[in-house]
Amino acid sequence: MSALSSARPSGSHLDLTGNRSRGRAVRNVVATVLVAACFALALVPLAWILWTVASKGFHLLLDPNWWGQSQRGITSRTAGGGAYHAIAGSLITAVMCALVSVPIGVFGAIYLVEYGRGGPLARAVSFMVDILTGIPSIVAALFIYALWVTLFGFGRVGFAVSLSLVLLMVPTVLRLTEEVLRLVPNELREASAALGVPRWKTILKVVVPTAFSGIVTGVMLGLARIMGETAPLLILGPYTSGINFNPFAGNMAALPTMINQDRTESLQPAVDRTWAAALTLVLLVLVLNLLARAVARFSAVRKR
C-alpha cells in the first residue's frame, strides 16, 4: 500500500512536467511565428521602397557621365549631366560634420562612463544629450542660422550646414559609444589598474581598442542619420548645379537638395534624375556601412 501511494505523486508530477513542457513548446512556436511574421511585415515596405528606387533610377547610374559631370547647363527639359557635384558636396559636408562630431561624441561618452559615474555634471550632460536626440533637424538648422548668419554675419555655406548636422550626429555617436563602453568588462580595467597603469592609458590602450568596432558602428550610424537630412541644406546651403569644393564660400550642392530641386519638375528627364539621385544616396550610405564593417573586422583580427 505504501509503495502504491508513494508511486502516485511521482506519476502525477511527471504528468504535470510533461504538460508544462508541451505548453512551453507551444508558446515557443507561437512566439517564433509571431516574430517571423512581424519581421516579414517590416521588410515589405523596405523592399518595396528599395525596388521602386532601384527600378526607376538604376539606368542613369550605368551612365559614366552620372559619376563625372555636374548639372551645369542642364535644364529640366534636357537629359544628361550627372550627380558628381552633389556627391562631392554630400561627402564634404559629412566629413566636416564627422570631424567635429566624432571627437565630441567619443570623448563625451568616455567621460560619462569612465569619469562622470553619475555625478552632477554627468547627469547634466546626459540630460542635454537626451534633449538633443529629440530636436528636429529644422530646429537645429534655424539655431545655426540665427547664430552663424544673423549674429555673426557669415554667409550660407557648406560649413554652416555641417555645424547644424553636428547637433544631430553628436547624440547618436555619444549614446552608442556610451553603450559600447559600458559593455567592456570591468575586469580589464581592474587588471590594468593592478599593473599600475594610469586611468587615461587604460582607457586609451585597453577600453577604446576593445570597443573600437562598436564605436565605428556608432559613427557610421551617425553618418547615416545625417546623410539624408534636407532641412539644414535648404536653410543653410542653397543648391547649385555646379561643382564647389570649398565649404567656406559659395553655394554647395548635395544629394538631398538635388532630389528636392528635381522633384518639383514633371518632365521625364528631371524625374529620372530624382530617382537616380535617391538611389545614389542609398548606395552611398550602404558603401559607408560596408567600409565601417570592414574596418571593424580588420581591427578585431589585428587584436587577436
Side-chain angles (χ1 to χ4, degrees), residues 5 13 21-22 26-27 71 97 125 128 131 133 147 149 169 191 198 210 239 244 252 276 280:
S5 61
H13 177 70
S21 298
R22 286 192 294 271
V26 171
R27 288 192 294 271
Q71 289 292 312
C97 176
V125 171
M128 296 304 296
I131 293 177
T133 303
L147 188 68
V149 179
M169 185 174 176
T210 303
Y239 177 76
N244 179 20
M252 178 174 287
T280 304

Side-chain angles (χ1 to χ4, degrees), residues 29-104:
V29 172
V30 172
T32 303
V33 172
L34 288 176
V35 170
C38 292
F39 176 73
L41 185 62
L43 282 181
V44 170
L46 176 61
W48 190 7
I49 292 173
L50 291 177
W51 169 253
T52 302
V53 174
S55 61
K56 295 186 177 183
F58 185 71
H59 65 281
L60 280 183
L61 270 63
L62 299 178
D63 186 359
N65 293 330
W66 179 258
W67 305 98
Q69 292 184 3
S70 67
Q71 289 292 312
R72 183 176 296 277
I74 305 297
T75 65
S76 59
R77 297 179 178 275
T78 58
Y84 176 69
H85 63 306
I87 297 172
S90 294
L91 291 177
I92 292 172
T93 303
V95 168
M96 295 195 65
C97 176
L99 290 177
V100 179
S101 302
V102 173
I104 295 175

Side-chain angles (χ1 to χ4, degrees), residues 46-276:
L46 176 61
W48 190 7
I49 292 173
L50 291 177
W51 169 253
T52 302
V53 174
S55 61
K56 295 186 177 183
F58 185 71
H59 65 281
L60 280 183
L61 270 63
L62 299 178
D63 186 359
N65 293 330
W66 179 258
W67 305 98
Q69 292 184 3
S70 67
Q71 289 292 312
R72 183 176 296 277
I74 305 297
T75 65
S76 59
R77 297 179 178 275
T78 58
Y84 176 69
H85 63 306
I87 297 172
S90 294
L91 291 177
I92 292 172
T93 303
V95 168
M96 295 195 65
C97 176
L99 290 177
V100 179
S101 302
V102 173
I104 295 175
V106 172
F107 288 132
I110 290 174
Y111 171 77
L112 292 178
V113 175
E114 303 294 336
Y115 293 98
R117 299 192 180 274
L121 181 58
R123 290 197 299 270
V125 171
S126 182
F127 177 71
M128 296 304 296
V129 170
D130 291 337
I131 293 177
L132 284 176
T133 303
I135 288 182
S137 59
I138 191 170
V139 175
L142 290 174
F143 171 75
I144 296 299
Y145 183 89
L147 188 68
W148 181 264
V149 179
T150 305
L151 184 60
F152 294 141
F154 299 127
R156 299 165 63 194
V157 293
F159 182 71
V161 176
S162 298
L163 290 179
S164 65
L165 295 178
V166 166
L167 300 178
L168 305 176
M169 185 174 176
V170 165
T172 303
V173 176
L174 192 148
R175 281 303 181 203
L176 292 175
T177 304
E178 180 185 3
E179 294 300 323
V180 172
L181 292 177
R182 292 188 188 278
L183 293 177
V184 176
N186 285 327
E187 289 78 4
L188 296 177
R189 300 180 178 89
E190 294 170 357
S192 180
L195 295 174
V197 180
R199 175 180 288 185
W200 68 268
K201 187 171 288 188
T202 299
I203 297 171
L204 182 64
K205 298 293 186 179
V206 177
V207 177
V208 172
T210 303
F212 181 74
S213 60
I215 294 174
V216 173
T217 302
V219 172
M220 290 301 106
L221 289 176
L223 285 174
R225 163 76 172 84
I226 65 167
M227 288 292 287
E229 288 293 342
T230 307
L233 294 165
L234 295 177
I235 295 175
L236 296 167
Y239 177 76
T240 178
S241 59
I243 299 174
N244 179 20
F245 294 108
N246 186 1
F248 298 98
N251 298 342
M252 178 174 287
L255 287 170
T257 49
M258 181 179 177
I259 296 171
N260 181 74
Q261 180 73 17
D262 287 331
R263 72 170 181 83
T264 59
E265 303 292 340
S266 59
L267 299 176
Q268 194 60 39
V271 173
D272 291 341
R273 286 194 292 266
T274 300
W275 289 110

